[in-house]
Amino acid sequence: MENNKTSKSRKYISDKVAELRKERRLTQSELAKRLGLSQGRYSEIENGKGSFTAEQFLEILRIFNVPASAFVQKKGDVVDELQNALLRLGATHLAPNEGVFPSEDLEKVDQLIREVLVSGDVPRHLAALAPVVVRSSKWLGWTRLWVHLSNVGLEARLGWLAENTLAAVQESLKGDLSRQETLALRSAERSLTDFLSWVESHRHRTLDSYYEDLIGSRNLSEQTKANIRKHSSEISKRWHIISNLQPTDFLEALKAADVAR
C-alpha cells in the first residue's frame, strides 16, 4: 500500500510536469506522444494516478531542459545546505554558510554525492565532489550510487564524476607529495579505476545511447548550449554531458582542499 509521503511526492512531480507543459504550450496529447504514452494514460499520471518510468522522467528533463532538482520539494536553502555538507565531508576550500545546517541524510557521503549530481546546477559543488570522493574512497558505495542514479536515468553523471576525479587524481600524483598524500591518492585511484571497470562490464547500454545531459547550467538558449557542447571536455563528450567544467576544475578543487598537497 502506498504511503502518504510517496503519494505527495508523486503528486508534486505530476503537478510540476503539468506546469512545465502549460508554460511550453504543449497539449496533453502532444507531450504524451513524445513520452510514448496514450493521452488517456498521460492524463491519469498528470492527475496523480500513476507515475512516470525512469526513461520517461529523463525524457521530460530533456524536453523541458531542466535539472532533476526541479522536481524536488525544497525545504530551506538547499544550495547552502549542500555547500556546508560538502565542506564538512572534504571540500574544505568552500566557505561555510552560517546558520544553515545540513539535513541528517546529507551526513552520509553517498547521499551527498547523489544529491549534488541530481541537482547538477552549481558548478562549484560538482567540482567540490572531487575532494569528497578522494577522502571517502575506501568506503564509498559506487555500485549502490550507480543503481540509485540509474533509477532516474542520471547514472552517466556518476561515470562523468568518477572519470574527471580520476584524471585529477592521476595529475596530482605527478606532484611532489608526502608519503601519506601519495597513499591517499593511490587508494582513490584504485577505487575509481575499479568502479569505472565495473561500469564498463555491467552497464546495460552503450554510452552512445545516452541522451545529452546539460549539467552545471540551466535554462540556456540553444546557441549557448551549442557553444558549451563544442568546448566540453573529451570526458564530458564521452558521457554525453554538456558542461563548462573541465578536468582542471576538479584538479583545482583537490588542490584547494589540500587533498593533493
Side-chain angles (χ1 to χ4, degrees):
M1 185 175 179
E2 183 179 69
N3 62 45
N4 190 48
K5 182 178 180 182
T6 300
S7 179
K8 286 183 177 179
S9 177
R10 188 176 68 184
K11 186 65 169 63
Y12 181 84
I13 290 172
S14 64
D15 286 347
K16 184 66 178 179
V17 173
E19 177 187 327
L20 291 168
R21 177 182 63 77
K22 292 171 184 176
E23 285 178 358
R24 300 295 176 88
R25 298 183 179 180
L26 290 173
T27 65
Q28 285 191 348
S29 180
E30 288 169 333
L31 184 53
K33 184 176 180 180
R34 296 179 71 170
L35 297 176
L37 291 167
S38 68
Q39 193 276 331
R41 178 55 182 156
Y42 174 85
S43 180
E44 288 179 351
I45 294 174
E46 191 170 286
N47 288 319
K49 298 177 181 178
S51 57
F52 297 105
T53 66
E55 290 76 14
Q56 289 162 353
F57 183 67
L58 182 60
E59 181 66 7
I60 287 167
L61 299 183
R62 191 188 69 78
I63 290 170
F64 296 115
N65 189 27
V66 294
S69 58
F71 296 87
V72 177
Q73 290 177 279
K74 297 179 180 179
K75 297 178 181 179
D77 193 337
V78 175
V79 171
D80 287 347
E81 188 178 340
L82 287 174
Q83 180 148 324
N84 283 0
L86 284 162
L87 170 64
R88 191 179 57 262
L89 292 174
T92 55
H93 61 297
L94 295 177
N97 290 297
E98 301 298 334
V100 178
F101 301 95
S103 70
E104 198 172 304
D105 284 343
L106 296 182
E107 297 286 343
K108 303 170 185 176
V109 176
D110 289 16
Q111 180 70 11
L112 172 62
I113 291 173
R114 185 170 63 181
E115 291 298 323
V116 173
L117 288 177
V118 168
S119 175
D121 54 5
V122 183
R124 72 176 181 278
H125 288 176
L126 292 163
L129 285 175
V132 172
V133 165
V134 169
R135 291 182 186 275
S136 60
S137 63
K138 289 182 180 179
W139 60 83
L140 194 55
W142 283 108
T143 56
R144 183 169 60 252
L145 273 168
W146 180 267
V147 171
H148 281 310
L149 288 166
S150 294
N151 290 334
V152 290
L154 297 177
E155 69 272 24
R157 294 186 180 189
L158 186 63
W160 172 82
L161 168 66
E163 193 167 344
N164 273 296
T165 304
L166 177 60
V169 165
Q170 290 175 334
E171 186 63 29
S172 296
L173 283 166
K174 298 176 183 179
D176 184 16
L177 305 171
S178 68
R179 182 174 181 276
Q180 183 176 356
E181 290 166 335
T182 300
L183 288 173
L185 289 170
R186 288 295 183 196
S187 176
E189 182 183 36
R190 285 192 298 273
S191 174
L192 289 160
T193 301
D194 287 348
F195 168 63
L196 289 168
S197 295
W198 179 89
V199 169
E200 188 64 31
S201 60
H202 286 78
R203 68 169 181 258
H204 300 300
R205 51 182 175 146
T206 64
L207 291 180
D208 288 341
S209 69
Y210 284 102
Y211 287 116
E212 283 191 320
D213 183 10
L214 180 66
I215 192 171
S217 305
R218 60 192 306 180
N219 300 325
L220 301 178
S221 68
E222 286 302 317
Q223 182 177 354
T224 301
K225 191 158 69 170
N227 188 55
I228 295 174
R229 182 189 296 112
K230 179 180 178 181
H231 294 96
S232 291
S233 70
E234 290 305 312
I235 292 174
S236 291
K237 290 175 180 176
R238 183 158 45 253
W239 290 96
H240 285 217
I241 300 290
I242 303 174
S243 174
N244 281 318
L245 285 168
Q246 301 291 322
T248 51
D249 293 307
F250 293 84
L251 176 61
E252 288 304 313
L254 286 184
K255 291 180 177 179
D258 289 325
V259 172
R261 287 182 181 173

